Amino acid sequence: MASAGGSGWVVPGGDDAAGSTPLPPPPDLVGGFAFSRPQRRMNWQLLGAVDVAAVARRGDTRTVLAALDDVAGCSVYGDEVEADPALRQAFSMAQLSVQYLLHTTTTLQDANTGVAAALADAEAALRKAKADDAVMKARLKRMRRAKDEADEQIASYAALLKSLDPELAERVVVGDDGGITVRLPKEERERLAREREEAEAREMRREARR
């Protein structure tokens, strides 16, 4: 609130004449908010033409918004205005309230914009995750179907082999990964084991003679 003919702020309720107590510049509040001192001249002709009762009765927000700039930012301290100091104080407090409400409205609108953007990003990420999940499920379904078909083919070949060569069929081993291994006959495995043992023994004897 401005003092008459001065540039400082005054304590609410104090006389606007000599002896008023100046306050330091208003501090930054929420979001860096600070009150601005009304300095412009009031458009009293425009304000006087407003039918306040009709505005309130009709809910005429357009007229309220049209006068908002004057109401919030114009000084009521001037030679052309004669009013009780208490009324001026009340009007100045109303101006500060309007300034703060305008600030909080802007802050909430900005916050709402940020939340809406974050929500849009989250919804896009969710849609992508669902699409990726659907792709993975379809791929898994195809892989399972392919495995079932491969298992059927292996079982069919195994049955055919068993009917043609039971001994060979006994030596065929199918791994978990679908790989097929044919084991050597028992006699061949034993012969290879003996040859390996004999080779190791010969190597040990040569090492001992060195």
Side-chain angles (χ1 to χ4, degrees):
M1 172 172 39
S3 59
S7 60
W9 293 70
V10 297
V11 177
D15 190 353
D16 196 52
S20 61
T21 305
L23 293 177
D28 285 346
L29 301 178
V30 179
F33 169 76
F35 292 109
S36 62
R37 183 169 60 88
Q39 294 180 334
R40 292 181 288 105
R41 294 176 63 86
M42 180 74 74
N43 188 343
W44 294 108
Q45 183 177 1
L46 174 65
L47 207 58
V50 175
D51 186 345
V52 177
V55 168
R57 185 173 61 256
R58 297 194 301 265
D60 185 2
T61 56
R62 179 174 299 181
T63 299
V64 172
L65 293 176
L68 186 61
D69 189 48
D70 278 337
V71 172
C74 293
S75 175
V76 294
Y77 295 92
D79 295 338
E80 75 277 10
V81 179
E82 294 183 3
D84 186 280
L87 292 178
R88 293 188 180 189
Q89 294 280 13
F91 189 83
S92 294
M93 287 299 295
Q95 286 182 305
L96 299 184
S97 300
V98 170
Q99 289 182 20
Y100 184 68
L101 289 175
L102 290 174
H103 166 74
T104 55
T105 298
T106 301
T107 301
L108 290 174
Q109 288 174 340
D110 292 343
N112 183 63
T113 299
V115 170
L119 179 60
D121 290 343
E123 290 175 341
L126 179 59
R127 287 193 298 270
K128 184 178 184 303
K130 288 182 176 180
D132 292 344
D133 183 62
V135 170
M136 291 300 296
K137 286 181 177 178
R139 173 189 269 179
L140 181 59
K141 185 177 181 179
R142 290 194 301 269
M143 292 174 65
R144 285 175 175 169
R145 184 166 58 246
K147 181 181 180 301
D148 291 341
E149 293 174 354
D151 288 343
E152 292 177 0
Q153 290 179 353
I154 291 173
S156 177
Y157 293 151
L160 178 60
L161 180 59
K162 187 174 183 180
S163 65
L164 297 175
D165 191 340
E167 189 276 332
L168 178 59
E170 289 293 331
R171 293 188 286 114
V172 173
V173 178
V174 180
D176 294 336
D177 60 351
I180 297 176
T181 303
V182 180
R183 295 181 299 180
L184 293 172
K186 181 179 179 181
E187 296 79 5
E188 187 67 16
R189 294 199 302 272
E190 292 175 350
R191 183 184 65 79
L192 292 174
R194 287 194 302 270
E195 290 179 355
R196 185 169 56 252
E197 291 174 357
E198 292 172 358
E200 291 175 352
R202 288 194 299 271
E203 183 64 25
M204 291 177 64
R205 288 195 294 270
R206 280 197 299 269
E207 291 291 335
R209 288 197 295 268
R210 291 179 182 176

